[in-house]
Amino acid sequence: MGEALLDSLSQVLQLQTLGLMLLGVAIGFVVGILPGLGGPVTLALMLPFTFTMEPVEAFAFLLGMLVVTSTTGDITSVLFGIPGEATSAAATLDGYPLTRRGQSGRALGAVLFSSALGSVFGALVLALSVPVIRPVVLALSAPEFFMLTLVGLTFVVALSGKNVTKGLLMAVLGLLVALIGIDSQEGIPRYTMDQIYLWDGIPLVPLVVGLFGGAEVLQLMLSRSSIASKASDVPTRITGVGEGIRDTLRHWPVVLRSSAIGSTIGMVPGLGGSVAQFIAYGQARQSSKNPEQFGKGAIDGVIASGAVNNAKDGGSLVPTVAFGIPGGAATAVLLSAFLIAGLDPGPEMLTTELDVTYSMVWIVVLANFVAVAAAFAFLRPLTRLTFISGPLLVPFLLLLLGLGAYSSSNSFGDVLVMLIAAAIGVACIRWDWPRVPFLLAVVLGGIAERYLFVSYSLFGWDWLLRPAVIGMAVVLVGVFVVPALRRLRNRPQTAPLTEDVRS
Amino acid sequence: MTTPDTPAGTAPAAPTARQKTEHRLPVVDIVISLGLAALFGNAFWIATEWSERAGLFPRMVTLLGVALALLHVVMLLLRARRAVPVVESRVDADDEAEGDVEYVFAHAGGRVWAGSLAWVAAFFVGLYVVGLFVTAPLFAFTYLKLSVRRSWVFSLVYAAVVFAVLYLAFEVALQLQVPPGLFF
Amino acid sequence: MTHRPLTALRRAGGAAVLVAALAACGQDGETSGDGAEANFYEGENLDFVVPYDAGGGYDVYARAIAPYLGECLGAEVVVRNEPGAGSLLATNATAAAGPEDRRIQITNSVGTTSAQIAGAEGVMFDMSEFSMIGRLATAPDTVAVAADSDLEDFQDIIDSEETVRFVATGPGSNEYIAASVLSAIYGFPYEVITGFGGSGEARLAVIAGNADAHASTWDSHLGAIESGELNPVLVTSDEPVELLPDTPVLTDFTPESEEGQVLVEDLVNLETLGRGLVAPPGLPENQLTELREAFECATTNEELIAELEGQQRPLDVLNGDEYLELIESVIDSSPEFIEAVKASF
C-alpha cells in the first residue's frame, strides 16, 4: 500500500497533471466564491474537455475543481454573509458576525485552515476505508438516515437561542415549507399553489442565499456603513489569519469530530452536505464550552463548518469508487468521467487500479492545499473589502444575490423564492425570531418523511430494531434528556422570569 | 410565508419605546404567532383532502404548528401580565452581531426603508424586464451616482467593470445562462 | 481545455463550408424569399434546452451534440438547463413557445409520453404536436438485481410467488412505470418502494438486499454493473443494448396471455422512444427542414459518433418522421397498456 501511495503521488506530480489540477483549482476557486454556481454544474460544463485526457489527468482536473468549490464557498459566507454554496450556510452563522467585528481575517483563517484539515481527513478516510467499506455502506439504510435526521432536528432546540418556543415555531414553519412539492408516496402535489415550478419543492440554494444574504445586503443599504463597522480597532489588526489558524489547532477535537461527521455522511448516498453541515455545527455547539456564543461569532462554530464541508468530499468518493454508485450530482459527473476514461469502478479500483484510487486521494489533499494557500494570499485584499463603505458593495452584492438564486434552476421562480426568503430573514431579525431552526427544518423535513416511509416499506416495523437505529435512539435520548436534567438542576424555579423576551 | 414583513419600520418601533415602563405587550410577536396559527390551520385544512399516506405528515406538522403558535400567544399574554416593568436590559456585548443588525432594522427611518426597498425592487424588476446585462451596469451606475453620490467617473468605471466582468465570465468563458429579460 | 481550439477550428471549418454553399446558392440565381427563410437559424443563437440539471444523461448528450449541431446550422447553439417537475416544466415551456423562439429541447420521451397517455397532472403538451427533429438515442429501462440475489434471471422474477419489490424515486417515474407494466404483462406480484432521494440511493437498496430489483435506464446501471454489484436481467426492448449484449430482451420472454402480447409490443414501443429532439409545435416547414437537416448532418459526423462511443453513450438515430410515427403509435396504445401506465401515477 505504501508503495502504491508513493507511486500514485509521482503520477499526480507529473507536470501536465499538476498543471491541469491547478487549472481545475483556479476554476473551482472562482465558481466556489460565486453563490449559486455550484460544483456539479461546473463539472458538467468541463466534462467534455476531459475526453482527450489520461484518467489521472482527468481526475486531477475535475476533482481538483470539485473539492475547491466547497472550500472557497465559505469565503463568501464569512465575508458577506451570503452563502457561496448551499453547503456553506453554517459558515455564515458565526463567520459573518466575526467579520462584522472586524475579525474577518481570523474567521477566514479558521475556516480555510479547518477546511484543509478536513480534506486531509476525508482523503484519509477514502484511502483507508475503500478496502473495507462495503459492509458499512450497505448496512446504513433508510432507518439510519431517518434517525440521523431526527438527531439533526433536535439541534433546533439548541440553535433557537433564547426563546425555544419561537425556535420550535420557526422549525414547524420550516417543516411546512419542506412539504411543498410532489409527495414521494402517492405523487400528490402538496401546497404547490397550482405552480408546476413548486413540484420539486422549494429550491435550497435560493432559500439559503435569501434567508442569510438578503438581510445583510439590506442592512448595508440602511446603515450605509461598512460591513465591519463594529470593529473598534480598524486598521491595526486587519488580518489575524494566524490567530484563526491557532484557533483551529486549539480546537482540534472539533475539527476531528466535524470531519468524521462529514466523511461519514458523505460516504452514504442520500443525505449530503447541506445536512452534514448542520449536524456538525450542532454537535460543535453541544460540546462547546461557550455554546451561548454560537451564532454570535463562536470560532469553534466556524471551524466545524469549515472542516465538515471538505471532509465530505473525500467520503463521497467512496461509494463512487467502490460500487459505481454516485452519492450526488457531482460524483455522478465524476462517475461518467470514470467510464469515459475506461475505468470500471468496483474491486478493480482496489487491486489493479489502486494507483488511480490513491491518486484521487492525493488530488483531494493537494488541490485543497493549493486553494487554501492561494486564498491566504488573497486574504488581505479580501478582508479589506469588509472595511470599505457598505453602499459601494451594494450593487455587487445584489448581483450575487440575483445570480446566485437564478442559477439554481435558471428560472425566475428561483429569484422569487430568494426574495421571499429574504423577507422572512429580515422579519426574523427585526422581531427577533431565529432563522436557523427554520432552515434546519427545511433541509431535514422532507428527508425525514421520505426515509420514514422508505424504512417502513423496506423493513416493516422491524426497522426500529436495527442496531444502529437503537444506538442512535440512545444518543438522541442522551442529547435531549441529559442537558434538560442539568438545566433543571442548575436553575432555580424563578428562571423563566430572568429570561425576558426582547422585542 | 405570510409573516407580516411590513417594511414600515417606524410603526412597530414606536410602541416598544413607549411601553418601556408599562407592561410590555409584545404586539408584533403575538401578531406573527397568530398569523402562523392561521397559516398552519389553513394548511391543515388543505391537507385533510389528501390520502392517508400523503396527508399523514402534513396533518401532523400543521396540527403541531397550530398548537405551538397558540401556546406561544398564551405564554406571551401571561408573561406580559405578570411582567414587572423591566428596563430593557439589552446587553450588547452578549449578542453584538444580531443585535446590531436588529438595531439597524429597528431604527432606520421610514424614508430610508422606503428608499432602500425601492432600490432593491428596481434592481429585481430590471432583472426581470431587461435582463442582467442591462440591469447590472445601469443599476450600479444610478445607485452609486444618485444614492451614494459618488462622482460621475467613479460610477461609470464601476458600472463598466461590472459589465465587463459579467460578460466575460458568464457569456464568453462559461456560456452560462443569466436572466435574459423579457424581450430577448 | 485542449478541446476548445478544436471546436473553434471545427466551427470555422463549418462556417467556411457554409459560405461556400451559400455562394453556390447565389449562383443559382434569385432564390430570394426561400433562400433567406431557409436559413432561419444561421448566425443566430439557438437555445438547446435540457429539462434536467447539469450532469445527467440528457445533459451529457445535449452538450456533446450541441457544437456539431451549431456547426451544421451555422448557429450558436447554447445548452440551457431548465430542470423542474421531472422534465414537465421545460417540456410545457417548449410546447408553449412560438416558432420564432429559436428553441429546441431534448426530451425524456418515455416519461413525457407516458405522462400524457396517463392523463397525469401538469401535462400541458401533446407529444405528437411538437415539431419532431428526431431521436438521438434510446435508453430502454433495464431490470437489474443484486449480484448475490436469489433472483438470478428474469424468469425467476416471472415465476416468483412472493412479491417482487422494485425501487423507484417516486410515482410517475420511468422506474415505476417499467416495473408496473412488467408486472401487468407477466402477472408476478410486485410492489414499488418509493421515496428514495435519487436513483443511486435506490440502487444501493437493491445491492444491500433490502429490495429486489430496479428498473432504470441501462446507462445509469452501467457503473454498478461493471463494478460487479448488479446483475442486469432484462432490457425492455426488442433488441439488445450495444453495451450489454448478453442481457436478454423483453421479446425473449413470451407472456402467456394474448393481452400480454399486446402489452409487450406497447412497452417496447414506449421504451424505444428514448431521448428525442423536438422544437416548438407548428414550426414552418422550411425551419423544420433546416433543423432536421442539421440533425442528420450532426449525427452522421464521425467525430461525434466516436466521441459518444468513447463516453459509452451511443447514438441510435431516427429521423423526424419516423420518430413522430413512433410517438403516435405509443399514444394509440391499447387501453390495457394505458391502464397499466395509469397505475404508476
Side-chain angles (χ1 to χ4, degrees):
Chain A
M1 174 178 152
E3 203 180 312
L5 261 177
L6 285 180
D7 194 38
S8 55
L9 178 61
S10 67
Q11 282 192 39
V12 174
L13 291 180
Q14 302 277 333
L15 199 61
Q16 191 167 358
T17 316
L18 211 58
L20 283 168
M21 188 188 84
L22 291 180
L23 185 63
V25 167
I27 297 172
F29 200 99
V30 177
V31 165
I33 287 183
L34 294 176
L37 192 52
V41 178
T42 328
L43 281 192
L45 287 175
M46 296 298 156
L47 189 63
F49 296 119
T50 63
F51 294 158
T52 51
M53 299 181 193
E54 294 289 311
V56 175
E57 288 174 9
F59 291 131
F61 181 61
L62 294 176
L63 200 54
M65 190 157 40
L66 178 65
V67 295
V68 167
T69 53
S70 41
T71 312
T72 56
D74 291 342
I75 296 181
T76 332
S77 302
V78 169
L79 283 182
F80 307 120
I82 302 176
E85 310 283 316
T87 54
S88 297
T92 59
L93 301 182
D94 284 296
Y96 189 65
L98 281 171
T99 300
R100 292 188 58 82
R101 274 194 236 151
Q103 301 187 11
S104 53
R106 181 183 173 212
L108 283 176
V111 83
L112 289 173
F113 191 62
S114 62
S115 293
L117 293 183
S119 74
V120 174
F121 189 98
L124 271 179
V125 167
L126 173 63
L128 297 177
S129 66
V130 162
V132 293
I133 202 62
R134 194 174 184 279
V136 178
V137 171
L138 293 187
L140 296 178
S141 175
E144 286 77 22
F145 296 162
F146 174 70
M147 291 306 287
L148 210 55
T149 57
L150 284 193
V151 172
L153 280 172
T154 60
F155 292 138
V156 162
V157 178
L159 297 173
S160 294
K162 291 182 192 155
N163 196 324
V164 177
T165 323
K166 280 185 175 179
L168 289 176
L169 258 177
M170 288 304 288
V172 178
L173 182 63
L175 290 177
L176 185 63
V177 170
L179 286 172
I180 294 175
I182 293 265
D183 112 278
S184 66
Q185 296 304 305
E186 321 226 309
I188 297 174
R190 299 191 298 201
Y191 304 127
T192 51
M193 298 163 245
D194 291 326
Q195 296 296 316
I196 296 186
Y197 167 78
L198 290 173
W199 278 21
D200 286 343
I202 295 288
L204 196 57
V205 172
L207 183 85
V208 170
V209 168
L211 198 59
F212 290 95
E216 309 312 335
V217 177
L218 195 58
Q219 193 272 133
L220 282 184
M221 295 180 86
L222 291 174
S223 73
R224 306 192 146 246
S225 56
S226 67
I227 294 178
S229 59
K230 295 291 283 186
S232 42
D233 49 347
V234 183
T236 46
R237 289 191 313 118
I238 203 164
T239 50
V241 178
E243 204 185 332
I245 294 177
R246 277 194 297 281
D247 282 324
T248 311
L249 291 174
R250 201 151 36 84
H251 289 286
W252 62 268
V254 178
V255 177
L256 270 190
R257 277 196 303 267
S258 308
S259 305
I261 290 171
S263 47
T264 314
I265 293 183
M267 217 150 62
V268 275
L271 294 182
S274 41
V275 176
Q277 60 178 342
F278 285 111
I279 293 188
Y281 183 80
Q283 72 71 33
R285 188 189 186 281
Q286 292 283 354
S287 57
S288 173
K289 285 196 203 75
N290 46 353
E292 75 286 346
Q293 277 298 314
F294 271 67
K296 296 162 193 160
I299 197 75
D300 29 352
V302 177
I303 293 167
S305 32
V308 66
N309 258 343
N310 287 49
K312 128 207 142 237
D313 289 331
S316 68
L317 287 171
V318 172
T320 315
V321 171
F323 317 116
I325 291 190
T331 38
V333 179
L334 278 181
L335 180 67
S336 30
F338 246 88
L339 299 176
I340 291 170
L343 290 170
D344 295 335
E348 272 176 52
M349 294 303 294
L350 314 175
T351 52
T352 47
E353 307 282 1
L354 191 63
D355 53 334
V356 178
T357 309
Y358 283 143
S359 70
M360 297 170 78
V361 173
W362 286 115
I363 291 161
V364 171
V365 174
L366 284 177
N368 260 300
F369 273 83
V370 171
V372 168
F376 278 142
F378 287 122
L379 276 196
R380 262 188 113 74
L382 281 178
T383 49
R384 281 248 169 77
L385 278 182
T386 64
F387 287 95
I388 68 173
S389 163
L392 288 189
L393 287 176
V394 165
F396 166 70
L397 294 179
L398 272 179
L399 260 181
L400 287 191
L401 288 185
L403 278 176
Y406 185 82
S407 55
S408 165
S409 69
N410 299 329
S411 140
F412 226 84
D414 299 335
V415 178
L416 221 55
V417 168
M418 189 275 290
L419 288 174
I420 293 171
I424 294 177
V426 170
C428 279
I429 293 180
R430 173 64 184 82
W431 290 293
D432 199 22
W433 288 65
R435 289 176 285 181
V436 185
F438 173 70
L439 179 62
L440 195 66
V442 174
V443 170
L444 292 173
I447 304 180
E449 185 194 14
R450 278 200 293 106
Y451 285 128
L452 184 60
F453 277 114
V454 174
S455 298
Y456 181 73
S457 311
L458 285 177
F459 305 105
W461 288 112
D462 287 350
W463 70 267
L464 286 165
L465 299 176
R466 288 164 70 95
V469 171
I470 294 175
M472 275 192 267
V474 171
V475 172
L476 210 57
V477 170
V479 165
F480 242 133
V481 175
V482 175
L485 283 178
R486 204 188 302 157
R487 214 175 302 150
L488 220 71
R489 212 176 321 136
N490 291 349
R491 197 186 269 179
Q493 281 86 334
T494 50
L497 274 181
T498 61
E499 183 203 37
D500 210 333
V501 244
R502 288 180 306 130
S503 64
Chain B
M1 298 230 142
T2 56
T3 30
D5 44 77
T6 39
T10 43
T16 339
R18 204 170 354 100
Q19 289 170 4
K20 228 169 214 171
T21 48
E22 304 164 17
H23 295 265
R24 296 195 303 126
L25 193 64
V27 180
V28 179
D29 278 354
I30 291 176
V31 170
I32 292 179
S33 302
L34 287 176
L36 285 175
L39 174 70
F40 289 133
N42 184 33
F44 177 80
W45 188 72
I46 295 174
T48 51
E49 290 175 15
W50 299 328
S51 68
E52 197 182 329
R53 264 150 65 102
L56 179 67
F57 252 64
R59 279 173 227 160
M60 275 164 46
V61 166
T62 48
L63 271 188
L64 180 70
V66 172
L68 257 177
L70 294 180
L71 179 75
H72 191 223
V73 172
V74 172
M75 277 167 61
L76 289 174
L77 289 174
L78 283 180
R79 201 176 296 167
R81 277 186 55 183
R82 218 174 27 178
V84 238
V86 201
V87 186
E88 194 162 341
S89 56
R90 173 177 297 195
V91 198
D92 259 358
D94 183 43
D95 61 339
E96 272 173 279
E98 279 257 311
D100 164 53
V101 181
E102 192 188 332
Y103 183 83
V104 170
F105 284 155
H107 291 82
R111 282 189 54 179
V112 183
W113 265 104
S116 297
L117 288 179
W119 279 110
V120 173
F123 177 80
F124 286 102
V125 169
L127 209 57
Y128 183 69
V129 177
V130 289
L132 178 83
F133 289 126
V134 179
T135 306
L138 196 66
F139 178 85
F141 176 76
T142 46
Y143 183 77
L144 292 175
K145 187 77 197 70
L146 299 179
S147 181
V148 193
R149 299 187 193 287
R150 301 299 289 228
S151 67
W152 278 93
V153 178
F154 182 90
S155 309
L156 273 176
V157 170
Y158 193 118
V161 169
V162 162
F163 179 77
V165 169
L166 282 179
Y167 190 78
L168 287 178
F170 285 90
E171 194 69 22
V172 179
L174 292 168
Q175 291 210 336
L176 276 176
Q177 196 165 358
V178 295
L182 290 178
F183 313 112
F184 303 96
Chain C
M1 292 311 246
T2 49
H3 210 67
R4 180 132 272 178
L6 257 178
T7 326
L9 259 182
R10 239 189 270 128
R11 230 173 243 156
V17 171
L18 259 157
V19 169
L22 274 179
C25 274
Q27 281 165 0
D28 280 352
E30 300 296 338
T31 48
S32 57
D34 261 48
E37 269 174 300
N39 299 315
F40 181 77
Y41 295 97
E42 197 193 334
E44 299 281 345
N45 272 359
L46 174 62
D47 282 343
F48 188 172
V49 173
V50 177
Y52 294 100
D53 277 319
Y58 291 90
D59 187 61
V60 169
Y61 269 106
R63 287 182 195 281
I65 194 178
Y68 296 91
L69 211 53
E71 190 181 299
C72 294
L73 279 171
E76 181 81 8
V77 178
V78 185
V79 177
R80 308 272 192 220
N81 296 90
E82 290 182 12
S87 96
L88 288 188
L89 199 61
T91 313
N92 284 340
T94 304
E100 69 287 351
D101 275 335
R102 293 197 175 85
R103 172 188 171 110
I104 59 172
Q105 191 203 320
I106 186 169
T107 54
N108 167 6
S109 301
V110 181
T112 50
T113 313
S114 35
Q116 181 187 335
I117 61 177
E121 242 181 291
V123 174
M124 292 182 252
F125 52 80
D126 180 344
M127 283 302 286
S128 60
E129 282 180 7
F130 282 113
S131 307
M132 289 296 165
I133 302 171
R135 181 185 72 185
L136 266 177
T138 52
D141 284 306
T142 297
V143 179
V145 298
D148 54 4
S149 165
D150 292 337
L151 303 164
E152 284 171 8
D153 50 31
F154 190 64
Q155 195 61 47
D156 285 351
I157 293 183
I158 295 178
D159 298 339
S160 177
E161 304 269 299
E162 284 169 38
T163 305
V164 181
R165 286 143 50 100
F166 283 84
V167 289
T169 48
S173 58
N174 295 16
E175 301 160 313
Y176 203 122
I177 296 166
S180 55
V181 176
L182 282 175
S183 159
I185 296 173
Y186 298 103
F188 57 85
Y190 85 114
E191 176 189 1
V192 184
I193 295 166
T194 59
F196 295 94
S199 146
E201 211 184 314
R203 198 163 295 130
L204 202 61
V206 171
I207 294 176
N210 297 329
D212 297 317
H214 187 199
S216 181
T217 56
W218 65 267
D219 47 343
S220 71
H221 280 317
L222 205 57
I225 291 174
E226 299 200 339
S227 73
E229 298 285 350
L230 279 186
N231 173 22
V233 295
L234 176 78
V235 176
T236 53
S237 176
D238 51 358
E239 50 188 70
V241 172
E242 210 176 311
L243 283 152
L244 300 171
D246 303 326
T247 309
V249 296
L250 190 60
T251 39
D252 293 346
F253 300 90
T254 316
E256 283 167 14
S257 63
E258 209 155 290
E259 192 188 309
Q261 277 295 352
V262 179
L263 287 176
V264 165
E265 207 173 291
D266 286 338
L267 183 59
V268 167
N269 279 345
L270 175 70
E271 293 282 352
T272 44
L273 288 183
R275 311 176 196 270
L277 206 57
V278 306
L283 222 56
E285 195 57 39
N286 54 337
Q287 257 170 270
L288 184 57
T289 315
E290 197 183 345
L291 287 174
R292 284 182 174 183
E293 277 168 5
F295 177 71
E296 198 194 332
C297 151
T299 50
T300 48
N301 187 318
E302 292 298 327
E303 248 178 279
L304 174 67
I305 294 170
E307 199 176 283
L308 284 170
E309 289 281 324
Q311 291 190 61
Q312 310 194 328
R313 297 196 181 272
L315 286 173
D316 192 347
V317 176
L318 281 185
N319 73 28
D321 287 327
E322 292 164 340
Y323 196 38
L324 183 61
E325 206 174 302
L326 190 59
I327 283 183
E328 278 170 347
S329 79
V330 173
I331 294 173
D332 288 337
S333 290
S334 62
E336 295 84 6
F337 183 75
I338 291 175
E339 254 340 281
V341 171
K342 268 188 183 156
S344 318
F345 279 83

